[in-house]
Amino acid sequence: MSICCADIPRLPGLESIRFRAGLTGGQRIVRWPYVAENDTIQPWVSGGELVFVTGINHRRTERNLCQLVEEAIHSNVAGLVILTGPEFIQQIPNSVLELANKHKLPLLEQPYSLKMVLVTEVISNAIVQSNLLGKSVRLFLTKLINGFDQAPELIHLRAGDLGISDTNPFSVLALRINPIDSETLTTQHQLLHVHQELEEHLGSILKRRGIDWPVLNYEKDLLAIWPMTDTDTTELYEEPRSSAHPAAKALSAIDIMYRCQ
């Protein structure tokens, strides 16, 4: 359960925000909104932020906007939102849109008439509510793996409360990270960073297929669980192996440990 860049224009009151570039990266998870006030964002972000560029406190030239796109890519932010209007940034240059498209970085356009206080409030509330629901679903799925000590009727009711259908069997995909060599992953911190990136990447794969369930951390493994349908799920298993995502590149193997139905 998470809010991604593609969800932003669908939130109540934010319908005037438009996707302008990087639509293929629209499933990037938004951790929190951040308003950029300086000529650079790299020292102020840690990854997953939806960065708003207003141009109010700092003049934004075409060159600076391209710089922000580059920094957003290297800092692994969720996406950029550029505010446009007659007073500050009149329009988004084509070079900026092309650069965002090239790197699949979500770039959205927001009119100045839409107040930032409303935008950040709506997004923040959506993230908090999504996280609360996600924790409940995560707990339910973890119990599903470990086994319930409750009556089947209570399990069925709880699943219904969370919007989880238990009429079909479930599939489970388990991934374990193996470092390439000591030079690639030399510290525990680096290993944890790769683990987090892979978790987010696998979550985005699920969400692209309409499976809005969290990825579980289970001992040393990442677990993805989803209800089985008549649709072939081969692509879900193959995508992590063939992905060009930075996390996938840092792995010597992604071991598919088991699939249960």
Side-chain angles (χ1 to χ4, degrees), residues 28 92 96 105 176 238 242 258:
R28 289 181 182 231
I92 304 176
V96 176
L105 176 74
R176 179 170 295 179
E238 295 300 327
S242 59
Y258 56 82

Side-chain angles (χ1 to χ4, degrees), residues 204-212 233 235-237 239:
S204 68
I205 294 174
L206 292 173
K207 194 161 187 177
R208 283 200 299 271
R209 287 153 179 78
I211 307 164
D212 195 13
T233 57
E235 186 180 356
L236 179 65
Y237 288 90
E239 183 167 344

Side-chain angles (χ1 to χ4, degrees), residues 76-98:
N76 198 32
V77 305
L80 289 179
V81 182
I82 299 179
L83 279 69
T84 58
E87 295 185 20
F88 301 101
I89 304 174
Q90 283 76 37
Q91 62 182 5
I92 304 176
N94 287 332
S95 60
V96 176
L97 298 175
E98 291 171 0

Side-chain angles (χ1 to χ4, degrees), residues 1-53:
M1 301 292 176
S2 53
I3 299 296
C4 66
C5 289
D7 294 325
I8 300 302
R10 305 186 189 120
L11 295 176
L14 306 188
E15 295 85 355
S16 59
I17 296 178
R18 297 187 300 148
F19 236 106
R20 293 298 310 280
L23 186 59
T24 52
Q27 299 302 321
R28 289 181 182 231
I29 304 302
V30 177
R31 189 170 59 85
W32 207 249
Y34 169 74
V35 180
E37 300 287 356
N38 303 301
D39 63 340
T40 179
I41 62 172
Q42 200 155 12
W44 312 107
V45 296
S46 57
E49 296 87 357
L50 184 63
V51 179
F52 290 81
V53 181

Side-chain angles (χ1 to χ4, degrees), residues 198-236:
L198 183 58
E199 180 180 353
E200 293 177 356
H201 182 54
L202 182 56
S204 68
I205 294 174
L206 292 173
K207 194 161 187 177
R208 283 200 299 271
R209 287 153 179 78
I211 307 164
D212 195 13
W213 291 0
V215 177
L216 304 181
N217 283 279
Y218 188 79
E219 297 181 352
K220 295 182 179 180
D221 304 327
L222 290 174
L223 299 184
I225 307 175
W226 67 95
M228 290 195 64
T229 65
D230 295 333
T231 305
D232 183 18
T233 57
T234 302
E235 186 180 356
L236 179 65

